[in-house]
Amino acid sequence: MEEKRKKKAAPLTPVKDVSREKMGKACWRLSIPASFSESGKREQRFYPSYKKALAAAGEIKLGKVAVDAGIVELTQAQAVEALSALDILEGSGIGLVDACRLVKRMQEAGIGDIAEIEHAFKLGAAQIRHEKKSPSWSEAAWEMVRVKEKITRRRERTLQQIRYMIRRMEKRCPDFCVRPIGGITGEECREAFGRAFDSPIQQDKARVVFSGVWTLAMKRGWALSNPTRMLDALKTQEREIRALTPEEVERLLLACRPPLPDDSSQLDLTSVQPAVAILVFAGIRPEELMRLTWEDVSFEDGVITVRAAASKTGGARHVTICEALRAWLSLVPEKARKGAIVPEYWRSRWEAVRNRAGWGKKKPWPKDVLRHTFASYHAKTYADFGKLQMEMGHRSAELLRNRYTNMAGLTGEMVRRFWKLMPNDSHLFVF
């Protein structure tokens, strides 16, 4: 008996192809008549599931109806694509025109093909997720202070400087400080630092200090990158600081004495003399001096030990006790060489010494001038920047050359007088 022919499926009706299914290929076939095809020829397309094949058939039919009715002036394929796009966007709250405009803007920004656009969307999505979960810049900045105080245990003076800079940012750039730290750009940092700090030196310091806020944010997963690294260091002109003359240094040392009847201050400043001598003849930083004790002074070895805990840079070093410094320190009786080198009320007494020596409102005291003075006389005498770098505790010899040594106007005679500023009988005050 002749086999009955199978009834042919209607056009655009999904039919399973068993042979393709056995090969693991998409097996739901859709036969597309020439009148529904963009090419004008019959086509076959295959889909992995009945549902997807049926959906595709519906889109093709709707596209054909729209074109035939003159609703849109689109080709068959364009109509199908438009309907597919609308289906994808359904429930998103984004219209087809908005989606197209977004893609167009990305292409205008230089993001061309679909692979680049997909990559851009992934990066943008990651950035938005970080912004949503990241704290404000102020919150992250104060968290950095807490870490430096409790965990890395930075010195209080350093913490005070950072706190001051954060408060200045909050006062002058409140809009910046409430922004999520994960969404701030390098250009926004540049603009905010410029508003908060007046000079290029201060702005560059802000760049360095606040880089730590983003370093912490990246560790905590609050930001993907550090925008301050995109900022170039600002070129600044270091202010030239003239080294003190031997006469000026001598006036400073002689001011460390009991009061004279005509002195405006009747303070006995004798106890300040060892500290001032160390500032002059050893070039030790004022902050380091305040942490030194007499136990750090070795007359036998001829060195002052700046311990790691006392050093600004965190590294221990030895500073040579020159003949002049040894002479001034020897004025202190051995039994009195105990405890801290700086006396009580050091800051007010040090200011009184400077005032007594002729500095004050009319003649301001140059910041770090004694450190500059030591470096300049040392460089003029020995011309050994490597040794001077170790004595002063600098990480960079370049900084030492550019900032601290100013030998302009220093003569050989001035250098000889400087190193021979020894105490005489008029300096032997009772400690």
Side-chain angles (χ1 to χ4, degrees):
M1 190 170 122
E2 190 178 346
E3 284 188 20
K4 292 183 179 180
R5 284 187 175 182
K6 292 182 180 178
K7 189 177 179 181
K8 191 174 181 180
L12 294 173
T13 300
V15 177
K16 180 182 277 191
D17 188 324
V18 178
S19 62
R20 287 179 65 88
E21 183 181 32
K22 289 179 179 179
M23 290 187 289
K25 297 180 179 180
C27 61
W28 287 95
R29 183 179 64 244
L30 207 58
S31 296
I32 305 171
S35 59
F36 282 79
S37 170
E38 184 183 7
S39 64
K41 298 178 181 180
R42 287 183 297 172
E43 295 180 13
Q44 283 190 345
R45 297 179 188 172
F46 293 89
Y47 299 88
S49 68
Y50 175 79
K51 184 177 180 181
K52 289 188 176 181
L54 191 63
E59 290 173 357
I60 293 170
K61 289 175 183 178
L62 285 171
K64 173 67 173 172
V65 170
V67 172
D68 289 347
I71 298 172
V72 288
E73 294 181 2
L74 298 174
T75 64
Q76 177 75 25
Q78 288 172 334
V80 170
E81 276 199 280
L83 290 167
S84 299
L86 288 170
D87 185 53
I88 292 169
L89 292 170
E90 186 178 1
S92 68
I94 299 173
L96 183 57
V97 174
D98 289 334
C100 292
R101 284 174 178 161
L102 178 60
V103 172
K104 183 65 176 175
R105 282 202 298 270
M106 296 187 77
Q107 289 180 330
E108 289 171 351
I111 304 172
D113 58 31
I114 189 66
E116 289 182 336
I117 291 173
E118 287 180 351
H119 183 59
F121 274 119
K122 287 179 182 178
L123 292 177
Q127 181 68 33
I128 290 171
R129 285 196 297 271
H130 275 83
E131 286 188 34
K132 285 184 176 180
K133 71 176 183 179
S134 70
S136 69
W137 183 89
S138 280
E139 291 170 328
W142 288 114
E143 175 63 10
M144 179 192 72
V145 173
R146 188 194 69 80
V147 169
K148 289 183 179 294
E149 181 180 10
K150 303 296 184 183
I151 300 175
T152 59
R153 298 189 180 280
R154 298 297 295 272
R155 296 190 181 92
E156 182 57 31
R157 185 175 177 83
T158 301
L159 295 173
Q160 286 175 355
Q161 292 175 345
I162 296 174
R163 291 187 193 108
Y164 163 77
M165 294 177 72
I166 294 173
R167 292 190 183 104
R168 191 171 179 116
M169 286 285 292
E170 290 176 333
K171 181 179 180 180
R172 295 195 174 187
C173 308
D175 52 338
F176 176 90
C177 294
V178 298
R179 288 280 311 283
I181 191 168
I184 296 174
T185 66
E187 191 54 41
E188 288 173 326
C189 290
R190 189 196 314 278
E191 191 273 335
F193 297 162
R195 276 194 289 153
F197 303 98
D198 301 325
S199 71
I201 292 177
Q202 292 174 325
Q203 292 165 20
D204 207 50
K205 184 174 182 179
R207 176 186 62 84
V208 174
V209 170
F210 293 141
S211 176
V213 180
W214 275 277
T215 299
L216 176 66
M218 290 169 67
K219 288 180 181 178
R220 300 285 173 86
W222 299 337
L224 290 173
S225 61
N226 185 342
T228 62
R229 292 177 181 169
M230 299 165 60
L231 305 181
D232 295 326
L234 297 175
K235 186 176 181 180
T236 57
Q237 183 67 43
E238 288 286 353
R239 182 169 54 90
E240 185 175 290
I241 298 179
R242 177 185 62 81
L244 298 185
T245 65
E247 290 78 12
E248 289 172 321
V249 173
E250 186 176 30
R251 284 209 314 270
L252 201 63
L253 291 166
L254 292 179
C256 304
R257 54 168 171 73
L260 298 177
D262 58 345
D263 283 338
S264 59
S265 171
Q266 290 299 299
L267 287 173
D268 185 348
L269 302 176
T270 307
S271 61
V272 183
Q273 195 174 76
V276 174
I278 289 174
L279 289 174
V280 170
F281 295 111
I284 288 176
R285 298 178 179 93
E287 295 82 5
E288 295 173 336
L289 174 69
M290 293 174 66
R291 304 181 194 113
L292 289 182
T293 66
W294 280 103
E295 286 69 30
D296 298 319
V297 179
S298 173
F299 287 93
E300 182 179 352
D301 295 332
V303 295
I304 296 174
T305 301
V306 181
R307 292 166 285 109
S311 171
K312 176 186 176 181
T313 55
R317 72 182 190 276
H318 282 159
V319 181
T320 304
I321 300 176
C322 65
E323 288 185 22
L325 179 56
R326 181 186 291 272
W328 286 100
L329 295 180
S330 297
L331 294 179
V332 181
E334 190 171 348
K335 63 181 180 180
R337 298 173 194 166
K338 295 178 182 178
I341 290 177
V342 297
E344 281 188 303
Y345 312 111
W346 156 250
R347 293 187 188 279
S348 60
R349 289 175 182 272
W350 173 220
E351 183 179 4
V353 167
R354 300 197 302 266
N355 291 338
R356 186 176 286 178
W359 283 274
K361 290 183 179 179
K362 293 183 179 180
K363 184 182 178 183
W365 176 258
K367 184 181 179 183
D368 289 335
V369 68
L370 291 184
R371 193 162 161 80
H372 286 260
T373 297
F374 170 79
S376 299
Y377 280 99
H378 192 288
K380 181 75 173 179
T381 304
Y382 303 106
D384 188 342
F385 281 96
K387 181 179 179 181
L388 181 57
Q389 181 182 349
M390 293 185 65
E391 295 269 347
M392 296 187 69
H394 270 294
R395 291 175 178 169
S396 167
E398 192 67 25
L399 175 66
L400 190 60
R401 285 189 181 92
N402 294 341
R403 184 175 183 185
Y404 280 94
T405 53
N406 180 6
M407 291 177 279
L410 289 189
T411 65
E413 177 61 25
M414 290 174 67
V415 171
R416 285 189 291 273
R417 282 163 52 205
F418 174 80
W419 296 114
K420 290 185 178 297
L421 286 172
M422 305 282 190
N424 54 44
D425 291 343
S426 64
H427 307 137
L428 299 179
F429 307 123
V430 178
F431 280 83

